[in-house]
């Protein structure tokens, strides 16, 4: 790793962060002066994320998602915000105070919260450390489309172009705000070393938002413990920790939105909600909408819960502000899809009266509701899937969350809490009826991996349970906290939380080092929390705000370069299946590489993620993508793409397949192609194979030389 490049990258990243922090703090003080303390910090985080994502989207629309424009615009936004604030100062003390925090209703809840955060840090760090050691190889989706999107943004500078990471159209239209942040890290640092760490930041934001949600009711720590036992369930850790998946990102942003809504309530029930904080909540909801399809339903109902009452109370301006802020931070990817293929969600049949929008049919996905009444599906897939995804105490996870939803509707303190509870319930109904990639018809063997789509319902229900229970007495609240703690600890019993038995191509974590290191980090977090709590009375507000920043900066300066060098030296070095091809790609830069047959493409991007890697297929004007079935078309596609290398695998590699890979003969029979690497996975018979070939293309291929039957 070039030390100069690292220093320049860290400096650029630091400039962007400092500029955004200054801008967000200034904006919050200007428009939400009464929102101080932790909710004010949460608002500043949401504003900073909104600014960086919207700025990146706008720059990427015109192909300027590049280091110099990003840094320059970030600095400009920070300077303008600070200058404007100085020109128009406000009397902060005269601002109306927003929701006042109540003291924690249970004395030992603070210590329970510290333990919960330590458990989350330990379990998530274990997976993250493994990714830093081997590369993010444990989840197919990370290598399939999440990080390929990020790399493509950084390579081309465009966010407005569609990228097809496979031969179909299923993933090409997904919203990609979290991938844009991965792309920003690649852009500024010159590699993806931040990507395995990014979801730890989203985890911290989710826990912080949960605390801010319960804080006005005196149950901030209890709500945090409740959300923690959901976020430390086995499948969420397996899928999101140390990976490019975005479930935790969408959950964190949704929690931030509802927390800001709750904190927008004035202490006096006769006063109006503070519109600026409501707009900030809309920014968070929009960011969630721009991150994952699975939050469309909860964000939609949350919008109705704000807009309809606002109009009824004669506050149409607030309704317009909410809608506008939601679209600004969440509408970009849907607008891109509409402009490109005529439908904001092309895989969904949408229409208005006689007008039918372009619908791209995708074979395979079906809703969970199709198998809810299937007895065999329950015994063979659904019950084992719930246990595998949520842990051995899966029934407690579901029960506590659903009780929180119901109790929130019936006993929620105020209309906002009841709206949040209704949002959680509608989110679960949507989960049952939205088509998903569950596997074969009536054999939902992928159900276990899709339980995470229910996370919005589970975290909202878990956070609402202690809030609604405050009206039922302190004794019941203590029972709720005890149930939360027991459930949290029970989820950690699952062997997959610590052993990380992953899929065949990834294997298990190497040795016990990741788990041991994760436990050590968890203990460090616990000790730090206890020390922090004990020193609260001796620290000023400014010291409490600055100390974490100083510690973070010191960690980056001291350990960043070592971590960066170690990660780049080991990432994707020993991946089962295409071991030699991935090793070859580590030392290749700025090359165009075509591939077909496998979804595991990201390691081909190289150490600096600069290789332009593209699945070769036929793209059509309506947005569909289909496999190439003729030799001449295959060779023309390689010529048109100006590819220097091509990787061909048997279908669905590294899974065994009895289907041939015709692209092998189409490629190697042309004199312009030469075989560099051939590798295969050992199989017990010749009937099913898993093979991969790497070819170098030294000249234009000849489509006319293909045989008539090809």
């Amino acid at each position: 790793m070039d030390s100069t490049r690292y220093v320049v990258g860290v400096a650029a990243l630091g400039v962007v962060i400092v500029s955004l922090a200054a801008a967000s703090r200034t904006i919050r003080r200007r428009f939400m002066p009464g929102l101080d303390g932790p909710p004010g910090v949460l608002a500043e985080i949401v504003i900073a994320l909104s600014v960086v994502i919207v700025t990146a989207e706008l720059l990427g629309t015109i192909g300027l998602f590049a280091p110099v424009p990003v840094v320059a615009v970030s600095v400009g936004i920070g300077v303008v915000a600070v200058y404007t604030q100085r020109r128009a100062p406000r009397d902060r003390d005269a601002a109306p105070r927003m929701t006042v925090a109540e003291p924690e209703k249970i004395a030992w809840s603070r210590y329970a919260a510290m333990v919960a955060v330590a458990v989350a840090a330990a379990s998530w760090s274990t997976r993250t450390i493994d990714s830093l050691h081997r590369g993010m190889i444990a989840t197919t989706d990370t290598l399939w489309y999440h990080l390929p999107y990020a790399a493509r943004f950084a390579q081309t500078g465009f966010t407005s172009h569609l990228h097809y990471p496979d031969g179909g159209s299923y993933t090409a239209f997904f919203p990609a705000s979290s991938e844009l942040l991965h792309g920003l890290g690649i852009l500024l640092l010159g590699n993806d070393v931040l990507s395995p760490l990014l979801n730890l930041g989203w985890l911290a934001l989710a826990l912080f938002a949960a605390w801010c949600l319960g804080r006005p009711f005196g149950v901030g720590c209890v709500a945090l413990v409740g959300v923690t036992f959901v976020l430390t369930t086995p499948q969420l850790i397996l899928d999101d920790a140390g990976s490019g998946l975005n479930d935790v990102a969408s959950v964190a942003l949704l929690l931030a939105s509802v927390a800001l809504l709750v904190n927008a309530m004035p202490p006096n029930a006769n006063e109006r909600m503070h519109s600026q904080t409501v707009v900030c909540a809309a920014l968070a909801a929009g960011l969630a909408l721009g991150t994952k399809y699975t939050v469309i339903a909860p964000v939609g109902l949350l919008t109705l819960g704000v807009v309809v009452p606002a109009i009824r109370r004669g506050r149409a301006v607030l309704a317009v502000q909410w809608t506008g802020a939601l679209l600004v931070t969440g509408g970009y990817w849907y607008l891109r899809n509409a402009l490109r293929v005529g439908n904001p969600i092309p895989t969904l049949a949408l229409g208005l009266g006689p007008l039918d929008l372009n619908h791209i049919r995708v074979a395979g996905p079906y809703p969970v509701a199709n198998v809810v009444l299937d007895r065999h599906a329950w015994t063979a897939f659904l019950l084992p899937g719930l246990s595998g995804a949520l842990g051995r105490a899966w029934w407690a996870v579901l029960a506590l969350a659903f009780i929180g939803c119901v109790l929130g509707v019936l006993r929620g303190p105020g209309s906002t809490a009841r709206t949040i509870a209704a949002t959680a319930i509608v989110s679960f109904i949507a989960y049952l009826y939205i088509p998903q990639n569950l596997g074969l018809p009536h054999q939902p063997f992928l159900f276990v991996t899709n339980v995470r789509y229910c996370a919005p319902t589970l975290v909202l229900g878990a956070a609402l349970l202690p809030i609604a229970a405050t009206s039922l007495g302190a004794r019941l609240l203590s029972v709720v906290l005890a149930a939360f703690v027991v459930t949290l600890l029970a989820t950690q019993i699952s062997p997959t939380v610590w052993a990380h038995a992953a899929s065949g191509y990834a294997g298990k974590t190497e040795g016990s080092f990741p788990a041991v290191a994760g436990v050590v980090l968890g203990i460090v977090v616990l000790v730090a929390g206890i020390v922090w709590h004990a020193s609260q009375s001796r620290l000023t507000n400014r010291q409490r705000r600055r100390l974490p920043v100083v510690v973070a900066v010191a960690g980056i300066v001291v350990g960043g370069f070592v971590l960066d060098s170690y990660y780049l030296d080991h990432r994707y070095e020993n991946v089962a299946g295409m071991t030699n091809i991935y090793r070859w790609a580590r030392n290749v830069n700025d090359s165009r590489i075509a591939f077909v047959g496998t979804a595991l493409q990201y390691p081909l991007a190289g150490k600096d993620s600069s290789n332009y890697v593209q699945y070769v297929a036929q793209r059509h004007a309506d947005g569909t993508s289909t496999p190439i079935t003729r030799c001449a078309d295959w060779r023309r596609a390689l010529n048109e793409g100006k590819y220097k290398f091509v990787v061909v695998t048997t279908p669905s590699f590294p899974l065994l397949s009895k289907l041939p890979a015709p692209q092998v003969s189409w490629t190697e029979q042309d004199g312009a192609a030469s075989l560099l690497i051939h590798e295969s996975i050992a199989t017990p018979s010749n009937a099913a194979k898993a093979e991969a070939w790497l070819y170098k293309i030294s000249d234009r291929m000849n489509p006319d030389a293909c045989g008539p039957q090809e």
Side-chain angles (χ1 to χ4, degrees):
M1 172 64 186
D2 184 3
S3 58
T4 302
R5 179 66 182 89
Y6 173 78
V7 172
V8 172
V10 170
L13 183 62
V15 168
V16 171
I17 292 175
V18 170
S19 299
L20 293 174
S24 61
R25 185 165 177 78
T26 301
I27 293 170
R28 198 271 303 165
R29 285 179 167 179
R30 173 69 176 84
F31 294 100
M32 293 169 279
L35 188 68
D36 54 6
V41 175
L42 181 62
E44 291 172 13
I45 294 173
V46 169
I47 293 169
L49 288 171
S50 300
V51 171
V52 70
I53 288 177
V54 172
T55 298
E57 289 170 347
L58 294 178
L59 289 173
T61 301
I62 54 178
L64 290 179
F65 183 61
V68 173
V70 167
V71 173
V73 172
S74 299
V75 171
I77 291 173
V79 170
V80 169
V82 173
Y83 177 77
T84 303
Q85 174 68 8
R86 289 179 177 176
R87 294 279 295 179
R90 281 205 170 201
D91 185 359
R92 187 169 178 271
D93 294 332
R97 188 72 180 272
M98 297 185 191
T99 304
V100 178
E102 293 188 14
E104 288 289 329
K105 296 186 180 299
I106 304 177
W108 61 281
S109 64
R110 291 184 177 89
Y111 299 100
M114 293 179 196
V115 171
V117 172
V119 168
S123 56
W124 277 66
S125 294
T126 299
R127 185 57 139 185
T128 302
I129 291 168
D130 185 56
S131 293
L132 289 170
H133 178 58
R134 298 189 297 165
M136 294 167 282
I137 62 177
T139 53
T140 301
D141 291 2
T142 296
L143 308 184
W144 173 15
Y145 63 91
H146 287 292
L147 289 184
Y149 283 166
R152 187 57 53 88
F153 294 150
Q155 292 164 359
T156 66
F158 280 98
T159 57
S160 54
H161 295 173
L162 291 172
H163 173 48
Y164 293 83
D166 51 46
S169 309
Y170 182 61
T171 62
F173 310 106
F174 285 177
S177 291
S178 68
E179 289 79 5
L180 193 55
L181 291 180
H182 284 282
L184 183 63
I186 295 172
L187 196 71
L188 297 179
L189 293 179
N191 59 67
D192 61 359
V193 67
L194 287 182
S195 290
L197 303 169
L198 193 59
N199 278 352
L200 285 178
W202 290 119
L203 173 68
L205 178 60
L207 299 182
F208 181 54
W211 181 58
C212 291
L213 175 58
R215 182 172 174 267
F217 308 98
V219 291
C221 291
V222 186
L224 184 151
V225 176
V227 169
T228 303
F229 79 67
V230 175
L231 295 181
T232 55
T233 49
Q235 197 63 46
L236 267 175
I237 294 176
L238 285 169
D239 284 337
D240 280 57
S243 80
L245 273 70
N246 52 18
D247 304 278
V248 67
S250 61
V251 165
L253 292 166
L254 184 62
L255 278 170
S257 180
V258 299
L260 288 170
L261 270 181
V262 167
N263 281 275
M265 296 186 296
N268 187 341
N270 295 324
E271 297 179 11
R272 291 182 172 184
M273 293 179 69
H274 296 275
S275 59
Q276 293 90 344
T277 307
V278 174
V279 172
C280 190
L283 293 176
L287 291 173
L289 192 66
T291 300
K292 201 170 185 68
Y293 277 158
T294 53
V295 297
I296 291 178
V299 169
L301 190 67
L302 200 63
T303 297
L304 291 176
V306 173
V307 169
V308 173
I311 294 176
R312 287 179 177 176
R313 295 168 186 167
R315 303 190 69 187
V317 173
L318 180 60
V320 173
Q321 289 174 332
W322 171 281
T323 305
L326 184 75
L327 294 177
V328 165
T329 56
Y332 180 84
W333 308 106
Y334 302 91
L335 178 61
R336 178 201 64 175
N337 294 344
L339 294 177
R340 291 289 181 185
V341 299
N343 189 336
I345 311 176
T347 54
L348 189 63
L350 298 175
L352 182 62
L355 177 64
D356 289 325
L357 301 182
N358 178 34
H359 176 212
I360 297 176
R361 291 172 174 80
V362 180
Y366 61 90
V368 175
N370 283 11
V371 293
V372 165
L373 300 180
D374 188 329
R375 191 178 201 179
H376 170 71
W378 271 103
T379 57
F381 303 105
L382 301 188
L383 288 177
L386 289 172
S387 178
L390 302 179
R392 295 174 179 174
W394 62 267
W395 52 272
V397 174
L398 295 179
L400 291 171
F402 289 132
I403 290 173
C405 293
V406 175
L407 201 60
V409 171
L410 299 177
R411 301 296 297 266
S415 60
T416 302
R418 291 192 291 273
T419 297
I420 296 170
T423 297
I425 294 172
V426 169
S427 178
F428 177 72
I429 296 172
Y431 162 75
L432 293 178
Y433 286 95
I434 291 177
Q436 306 170 31
N437 186 18
L438 294 171
L440 300 175
H442 303 291
Q443 297 185 44
F445 55 85
L446 294 178
F447 170 78
V448 61
T449 66
N450 289 2
V451 173
R452 56 195 166 93
Y453 298 158
C454 195
T457 295
L458 299 180
V459 295
L460 291 178
L464 282 170
L465 179 54
I467 294 174
T470 55
S471 63
L472 301 177
R475 180 173 297 180
L476 179 60
L477 194 56
S478 297
V479 172
V480 169
L481 178 56
F484 281 1
V485 172
V486 171
T487 304
L488 169 65
L489 298 178
T491 60
Q492 304 306 300
I493 298 175
S494 173
T496 56
V497 171
W498 301 100
H500 294 316
S503 54
Y505 67 88
K508 297 182 179 180
T509 52
E510 297 181 359
S512 59
F513 173 75
V516 172
V519 171
V520 170
L521 283 174
I523 294 173
V524 170
V525 169
L526 179 60
V527 172
I530 294 173
V531 172
W532 176 267
H533 177 65
S535 62
Q536 285 291 293
S537 60
R538 297 191 296 271
L539 296 176
T540 65
N541 288 335
R542 178 171 294 183
Q543 289 173 329
R544 285 197 293 266
R545 293 175 68 95
R546 290 184 176 180
L547 185 58
V549 176
V550 172
V551 172
V553 171
I556 293 173
V557 172
V558 174
F561 180 73
V562 175
L563 175 63
D564 191 63
S565 299
Y566 180 86
Y567 173 67
L568 293 181
D569 288 343
H570 294 84
R571 66 189 290 279
Y572 307 125
E573 187 178 29
N574 293 295
V575 183
M578 289 196 291
T579 305
N580 295 324
I581 293 177
Y582 288 153
R583 285 178 179 171
W584 164 86
R586 284 167 44 82
N587 301 311
V588 178
N589 309 100
D590 299 308
S591 292
R592 297 180 67 87
I593 303 176
F595 77 100
V596 69
T598 181
L600 310 181
Q601 60 171 290
Y602 183 66
L604 298 174
K607 279 187 179 181
D608 57 359
S609 302
S610 66
N611 294 329
Y612 186 98
V613 183
Q614 180 60 56
Y615 195 103
V616 180
Q618 291 182 325
R619 319 297 182 196
H620 306 283
D622 63 352
T624 57
S625 176
T626 55
I628 293 177
T629 57
R630 296 178 65 251
C631 168
D633 294 334
W634 169 256
R635 294 182 179 179
R636 288 192 191 97
L638 295 182
N639 290 337
E640 291 171 0
K642 299 179 181 179
Y643 298 109
K644 294 182 179 180
F645 304 95
V646 57
V647 174
V648 178
T649 73
T650 49
S652 301
F653 184 94
L655 300 178
L656 302 182
S657 175
K658 295 182 179 180
L659 299 176
Q663 297 87 356
V664 172
S665 60
W666 298 347
T667 305
E668 64 184 17
Q669 290 176 6
D670 192 295
S674 57
L675 180 65
L676 297 183
I677 299 174
H678 171 235
E679 52 190 324
S680 61
I681 298 176
T683 59
S685 67
N686 294 327
K689 299 180 179 180
E691 297 182 90
W693 298 261
L694 168 65
Y695 297 94
K696 180 179 180 180
I697 309 298
S698 56
D699 200 352
R700 289 184 62 83
M701 305 191 79
N702 185 4
D704 297 331
C706 291
Q709 302 302 321
E710 297 178 309

